[in-house]
Amino acid sequence: MIIIGCDYHPGFQQIAFVDTDTGEFEERRVEHREEAEKFYRDLGAQGAKVRVGMEASGHARWFERLLSELQFELWIGDAAEIRTKRVRKQKTDRQDAQLILRLLLEDRFPRIWVPSWENRDLRQLLWHRHRMVQARTRIMNQLQAVALNEGLRCKKRLWRDAGREQLESFALAPWASRRRRDLLELLDRLTPTIAELTQAIEQEVEKCPEAQRLQTHPGVGALTALAFVLIIGRADRFQCGKQIASYLGLVPLEESSGQRRRLGHITKQGNSLLRFLLVEAAQVTVRSDQEWRSKYFHLAMRRGRKIAKVAMARRLAVLMYWMWRKGWDYEQLKKFGSHAGEPGHRDGVR
């Protein structure tokens, strides 16, 4: 078997590999993409069993597809944990590749869970809709500014037929008029695109029983439910709600030593899209549920609205996790979630 430690960069990769049958060791730097592809295809032509280890990084989809096509094992490791295993203060690409190889050979490589290709593709659907909505919001804000400059303040009514007629009726200077026309054209193109993407998300939710159960929670729509299922991947990857909150970056930074304990802002280490959706969904839940409203205003009075919003998003994430793990809908969660001995009780679900 050939085991390869790969220090991956966008333009090249530094590799250190050993043949466990013969003990032969070699190091090499291969450029992307032609030279690297030729190297791995030559290994595949030899019929050898190959395992490749690399740190989690971006811009490597083509490389992952290549190894999958050649039926090579690809182990992706936690970059932060690999960094802690470095002993020497020097850091070079060669030493990084050797370190990864040594961890693979000693069975100490911190392998992480990697989503399937189908999962990743569906995430692209979520991100694409999110970016389209952001672009539409920026355009709408610019058009609102145009209307305000002309003395028209009608907020959401600007997007109704009467409001749009008023916006288009203003006599503007040539370039201001051009800007208004282009922004309206972009808005008209984005709106049906977003509607199409929203419909696609709803169709995917219909195929996913877990997302359908999560939707029974007040404030959780198709987008948030599907994003939660795709990004968490498997509920059994986590032992408790605290791990979910940490994974999503909804826990505070901590720097404690001795008798001193210092907490900072949230870590924001997790997926930014899901964190954003949870905050939005939690605010909807606050508006629709009396118990949530009471908790939110109690926190807001003590700690401020921003911290209260994040706290409610964390609570929502923990609740959704236990709904998924236990196979409960929202009514079952309210009925069984606070029983003594349930993990949800320790996590502060109720």
Side-chain angles (χ1 to χ4, degrees), residues 295-307:
K295 288 181 178 292
Y296 170 75
F297 282 112
H298 180 69
L299 276 170
M301 290 177 64
R302 291 192 301 115
R303 305 297 304 276
R305 288 182 177 271
K306 292 182 179 180
I307 292 178

Side-chain angles (χ1 to χ4, degrees), residues 37-208:
E37 190 166 342
K38 182 179 183 303
F39 170 77
Y40 288 102
R41 289 194 182 279
D42 289 345
L43 285 181
Q46 297 174 14
K49 187 176 180 182
V50 178
R51 177 181 299 160
V52 180
M54 60 180 285
E55 294 180 351
S57 64
H59 314 294
R61 297 292 170 84
W62 70 270
F63 183 53
E64 295 177 33
R65 285 196 300 268
L66 172 64
L67 297 186
S68 177
E69 176 189 341
L70 297 174
Q71 297 184 346
F72 291 173
E73 285 186 67
L74 175 61
W75 287 16
I76 297 180
D78 185 338
E81 192 168 344
I82 291 174
R83 195 178 305 117
T84 64
K85 299 181 185 299
R86 185 181 296 115
V87 178
R88 300 180 64 180
K89 291 187 177 181
Q90 287 182 319
K91 181 188 182 303
T92 65
D93 295 337
R94 287 186 58 196
Q95 290 173 352
D96 288 344
Q98 292 170 6
L99 172 62
I100 293 172
L101 176 61
R102 184 167 68 251
L103 294 176
L104 288 168
L105 292 172
E106 296 174 357
D107 199 22
R108 295 191 298 125
F109 186 75
R111 190 178 182 184
I112 61 174
W113 174 80
V114 178
S116 65
W117 287 107
E118 182 183 3
N119 183 308
R120 294 184 182 186
D121 192 48
L122 286 177
R123 291 188 189 193
Q124 293 300 310
L125 168 62
L126 301 180
W127 271 112
H128 184 43
R129 183 192 178 278
H130 181 62
R131 294 306 186 195
M132 291 296 101
V133 171
Q134 286 183 323
R136 183 177 65 177
T137 301
R138 286 194 292 268
I139 291 170
M140 293 171 72
N141 288 341
Q142 292 180 66
L143 289 169
Q144 285 281 8
V146 172
L148 286 171
N149 282 329
E150 298 302 318
L152 176 63
R153 184 177 184 273
C154 52
K155 297 185 178 180
K156 292 183 179 180
R157 289 181 288 122
L158 183 65
W159 314 120
R160 298 175 186 170
D161 293 339
R164 177 150 178 169
E165 287 179 6
Q166 284 184 281
L167 179 62
E168 292 176 339
S169 68
F170 294 134
L172 303 177
W175 283 112
S177 178
R178 169 67 181 273
R179 180 183 178 221
R180 176 184 58 187
R181 184 175 71 250
D182 290 349
L183 289 173
L184 287 171
E185 289 176 358
L186 288 171
L187 181 63
D188 291 339
R189 292 213 305 264
L190 282 174
T191 299
T193 299
I194 292 171
E196 181 183 351
L197 295 173
T198 301
Q199 184 178 6
I201 289 172
E202 291 172 350
Q203 290 172 355
E204 291 297 332
V205 169
E206 291 176 0
K207 305 174 188 176
C208 181

Side-chain angles (χ1 to χ4, degrees), residues 282-306:
Q283 292 180 71
V284 176
T285 308
V286 166
R287 290 194 295 267
S288 60
D289 187 280
Q290 180 59 45
E291 179 192 354
W292 279 68
R293 189 180 303 115
S294 299
K295 288 181 178 292
Y296 170 75
F297 282 112
H298 180 69
L299 276 170
M301 290 177 64
R302 291 192 301 115
R303 305 297 304 276
R305 288 182 177 271
K306 292 182 179 180

Side-chain angles (χ1 to χ4, degrees), residues 218-234:
V220 177
L223 177 60
T224 305
L226 184 61
F228 193 86
V229 171
L230 291 177
I231 292 167
I232 298 302
R234 298 197 318 267

